[in-house]
């Protein structure tokens, strides 16, 4: 592949460097375009063809259905690693040794207390508040309780900020749920693993002990690994963009949580289960919903289907589908909705509308069925995604700051009114 691309505008030729990634992804570097052409820019709504950065964290091949964190296959990590190991890998670039992992977990536990005054903020929310709104607000509020800014040049400062948020975020997530459920707030138990402790913080009743079911803990650990990073998606790009103004880690994460909330992104997992439930209540008539999804005059979309990058099976969906079967069997749960999901998938994979557009089930299609089997209520599904995505957001924020990336500030092509005279209010 040539190292130069030639662009011709108005009969004049410009040479632009071509860069190649370690997996042979090719990009035209247009950083010098505007200066060289006296003002010409590129336009690409939704960034469908635009790389925002070079990154060494996650590799994704949407045509082949490949996903790797720091070079390791998602299938291997989901099978063989723990969520905390994967978090360490994503953030620091290598799998931890036993000692590194122990220290990492200990440091996270030390930082897992949340200022008691945060409870007052939580108290101000109505019980009906969506957990994602609560989580975004409380993560932002952490800034006020930890005001010292992180010196990104200092590895110690950076490490401290990272273990702080990894310690406090599961507490805030569990509290967002407990507030809604009318349960007293709990701080968990230091003797448990990261995921077991989270489950205990969620489900321990004030008048009883909570025994973690290993099937539940393993399934959740796997789900969190599968959600841990996905390169430059909407929420991650948001974290990098917000962080590029040099606002701190917690404020950047709070913005990422809001971005994740939307139904086209992380909010799809809640939307999928609501859709499956609606189909069940409708008597399981999948054809009607397939027809609605294909009807261009109907805003309905088959939630959990399609992906900006995957034009093949989402490798995470494959793992989750298998896991859904195993978890439901191990817990002795029969869920009619799983059969509806499988039926919809089969129908879609044979339907020319979905085949032609390369629309396959994505990570969110089956995850809700597992969350439900684990006892996690629907309105917490996207918060679970946020808990899983946290290490990815941190890793991407850290990379962006260490690479000293400039502030994110896209250009635009103005298509509004040209200059016109001001009209006094009496004359309008
Ligand atoms: N149901 C019906 N039609 C669809 C769907 C769907 N779920 N997804 C895409 N299409 C159609 C779309 O109407 C368009 O058709 P046409 O070419 O005739 O106009 C074509 O497929 C391409 O879709 P697009 O909207 O241009 O693709 P995109 O890359 O902008 O959007 C997406 C990707 C994920 C937002 C979209 O597929 C979607 O809305 N899916 C449902 C929501 C969902 O499951 N989101 C979770 C994504 S994975 C987890 C995450 O990122 O958080």
């Amino acid at each position: 592949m040539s190292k130069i691309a030639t662009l011709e505008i108005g009969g004049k030729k410009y040479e632009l460097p071509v860069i190649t990634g370690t997996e042979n992804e090719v990009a035209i570097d247009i950083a010098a375009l505007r200066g060289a052409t006296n003002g010409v820019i590129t336009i690409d709504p939704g960034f469908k063809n635009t790389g925002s950065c070079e990154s060494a964290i996650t590799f994704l091949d949407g045509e082949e259905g490949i996903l790797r964190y720091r070079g390791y296959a998602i299938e291997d990590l989901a099978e063989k690693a723990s969520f905390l190991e994967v978090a360490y890998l994503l953030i620091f670039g290598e799998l931890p040794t036993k000692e590194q992992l122990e220290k990492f977990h200990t440091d996270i536990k030390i930082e897992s207390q949340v200022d008691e005054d945060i409870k007052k903020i939580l108290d101000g929310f109505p019980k009906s508040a969506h957990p994602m709104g609560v989580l975004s607000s409380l993560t932002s509020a952490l800034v006020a309780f930890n005001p010292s800014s992180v010196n990104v040049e200092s590895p110690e400062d950076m490490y401290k900020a990272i273990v702080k948020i990894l310690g406090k975020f599961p507490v805030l997530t569990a509290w967002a749920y407990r507030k809604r459920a009318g349960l007293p707030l709990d701080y968990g138990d230091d003797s448990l693993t990261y995921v077991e402790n989270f489950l205990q913080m969620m489900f321990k009743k004030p008048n009883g002990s909570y025994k973690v079911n290993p099937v539940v803990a393993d399934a959740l650990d796997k789900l969190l690994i599968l959600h841990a990073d996905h390169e430059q998606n909407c929420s991650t790009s948001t974290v990098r963009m917000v962080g590029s103004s040099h606002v701190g880690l917690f404020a950047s994460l709070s913005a990422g949580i809001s971005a994740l909330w939307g139904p086209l992104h992380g909010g799809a997992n809640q939307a999928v289960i609501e859709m499956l439930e609606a189909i069940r209540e409708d008597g399981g008539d999948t054809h009607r919903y397939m027809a609605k999804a294909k009807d261009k005059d109907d805003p309905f979309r088959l939630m959990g289907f399609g992906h900006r990058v995957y034009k093949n099976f989402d490798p995470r969906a494959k793992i989750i589908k298998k896991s859904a079967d195993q978890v439901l069997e191990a817990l002795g749960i029969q869920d009619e909705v799983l059969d509806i999901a499988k039926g919809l998938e089969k129908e879609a994979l044979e339907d020319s509308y979905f085949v032609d557009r390369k629309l396959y089930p994505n990570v969110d299609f089956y995850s809700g069925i597992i969350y439900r089997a684990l006892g996690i209520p629907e309105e917490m599904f996207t918060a679970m995604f946020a808990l899983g995505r946290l290490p990815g957001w941190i890793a991407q924020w850290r990379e962006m700051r260490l690479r000293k990336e400039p502030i994110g500030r896209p250009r635009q092509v103005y298509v509004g009114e040209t200059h016109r005279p001001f009209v006094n209010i009496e004359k309008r």
Side-chain angles (χ1 to χ4, degrees):
M1 173 82 63
S2 163
K3 295 231 178 305
I4 300 288
T6 309
L7 177 70
E8 191 173 325
I9 311 171
K12 206 166 166 215
K13 287 188 177 166
Y14 301 91
E15 291 198 332
L16 298 165
V18 171
I19 60 165
T20 308
T22 51
E23 292 281 356
N24 297 320
E25 289 169 302
V26 177
I28 302 167
D29 178 353
I30 58 154
L33 179 69
R34 192 169 175 275
T37 56
N38 217 358
V40 176
I41 60 166
T42 56
I43 189 155
D44 184 19
F47 309 120
K48 291 192 177 193
N49 304 280
T50 300
S52 59
C53 60
E54 290 179 56
S55 178
I57 300 171
T58 289
F59 172 67
L60 199 169
D61 183 333
E63 269 70 36
E64 297 296 325
I66 293 171
L67 174 61
R68 294 187 203 125
Y69 298 160
R70 301 280 189 186
Y72 295 102
I74 191 66
E75 292 80 6
D76 283 341
L77 293 170
E79 192 62 37
K80 297 169 190 160
S82 71
F83 175 60
L84 224 47
E85 270 178 284
V86 169
Y88 188 99
L89 168 72
L90 282 168
I91 298 168
F92 302 112
E94 296 296 338
L95 283 167
T97 61
K98 215 160 175 263
E99 292 71 35
Q100 285 169 328
L101 184 62
E102 264 165 33
K103 178 173 177 342
F104 190 44
H105 193 195
T106 304
D107 294 336
I108 288 170
K109 285 193 272 197
I110 292 168
E111 291 296 346
S112 65
Q113 271 91 55
V114 173
D115 195 297
E116 278 288 297
D117 280 346
I118 292 261
K119 289 182 178 171
K120 293 183 191 153
I121 302 175
L122 183 61
D123 213 32
F125 282 95
K127 244 185 177 178
S128 58
H130 194 283
M132 285 299 277
V134 174
L135 206 46
S136 173
S137 304
L138 295 188
T139 305
S140 183
L142 282 181
V143 182
F145 291 88
N146 301 268
S148 60
S149 59
V150 180
N151 172 11
V152 296
E153 306 288 340
S154 151
E156 294 77 30
D157 254 33
M158 193 72 120
Y159 181 81
K160 193 87 178 154
I162 290 167
V163 291
K164 258 189 189 168
I165 192 64
L166 283 167
K168 297 179 199 318
F169 196 75
V171 181
L172 300 183
T173 311
W175 283 7
Y177 164 68
R178 291 182 81 88
K179 158 88 190 186
R180 218 177 144 87
L183 289 165
L185 305 181
D186 196 85
Y187 274 103
D189 176 350
D190 258 6
S191 68
L192 299 172
T193 69
Y194 191 77
V195 168
E196 287 170 351
N197 188 41
F198 172 73
L199 284 165
Q200 166 143 326
M201 283 192 289
M202 285 276 286
F203 296 123
K204 187 171 172 289
K205 296 277 166 16
N207 55 346
S209 59
Y210 175 78
K211 205 168 168 323
V212 179
N213 180 337
V215 173
V216 172
D218 282 356
L220 183 57
D221 202 88
K222 193 179 276 195
L223 277 178
L224 296 180
I225 291 172
L226 294 175
H227 286 89
D229 196 48
H230 212 235
E231 50 115 304
Q232 307 313 315
N233 55 84
C234 177
S235 58
T236 301
S237 303
T238 301
V239 169
R240 286 183 86 125
M241 170 71 100
V242 172
S244 77
S245 76
H246 292 194
V247 70
L249 173 61
F250 303 163
S252 308
L253 291 171
S254 165
I257 296 164
S258 296
L260 185 72
W261 191 0
L264 297 189
H265 191 11
N269 55 15
Q270 181 177 344
V272 168
I273 213 86
E274 285 166 358
M275 175 189 79
L276 295 173
E277 276 297 349
I279 298 175
R280 190 174 63 89
E281 276 160 29
D282 235 13
D285 183 3
T286 49
H287 304 305
R288 198 164 83 76
Y289 286 83
M290 287 289 286
K292 271 165 76 65
K294 294 190 282 182
D295 180 356
K296 291 291 169 200
D297 295 326
D298 190 326
F300 176 80
R301 282 189 162 197
L302 195 56
M303 298 313 285
F305 258 78
H307 198 278
R308 170 60 61 79
V309 185
Y310 291 118
K311 302 302 166 199
N312 194 331
F313 253 96
D314 179 337
R316 302 166 300 171
K318 275 192 193 166
I319 301 171
I320 293 180
K321 183 181 177 185
K322 202 166 141 212
S323 176
D325 276 328
Q326 290 165 346
V327 170
L328 264 62
E329 198 193 323
L331 296 175
I333 296 174
Q334 287 235 310
D335 195 340
E336 216 184 304
V337 149
L338 179 61
D339 298 328
I340 293 175
K342 284 184 179 170
L344 263 184
E345 178 190 317
K346 189 169 178 299
E347 226 172 291
L349 294 180
E350 287 164 2
D351 188 300
S352 61
Y353 175 95
F354 289 87
V355 174
D356 293 350
R357 289 170 181 75
K358 300 193 169 129
L359 301 170
Y360 290 87
N362 60 48
V363 68
D364 291 321
F365 194 61
Y366 287 103
S367 63
I369 295 172
I370 307 186
Y371 287 138
R372 202 152 83 146
L374 305 186
I376 294 163
E378 279 162 35
E379 64 280 4
M380 280 300 289
F381 288 2
T382 315
M384 303 309 300
F385 192 153
L387 182 64
R389 184 55 53 89
L390 182 66
W393 287 333
I394 296 170
Q396 301 271 353
W397 174 85
R398 178 176 176 271
E399 180 181 71
M400 181 270 304
R401 291 303 310 268
L402 293 181
R403 290 175 67 100
K404 298 192 184 351
E405 284 179 11
I407 186 166
R409 204 300 187 188
R411 294 268 173 180
Q412 64 165 16
V413 174
Y414 177 70
V415 294
E417 298 284 350
T418 53
H419 183 242
R420 47 184 175 161
F422 181 78
V423 182
N424 281 330
I425 196 158
E426 301 79 33
K427 297 202 173 143
R428 281 175 226 158

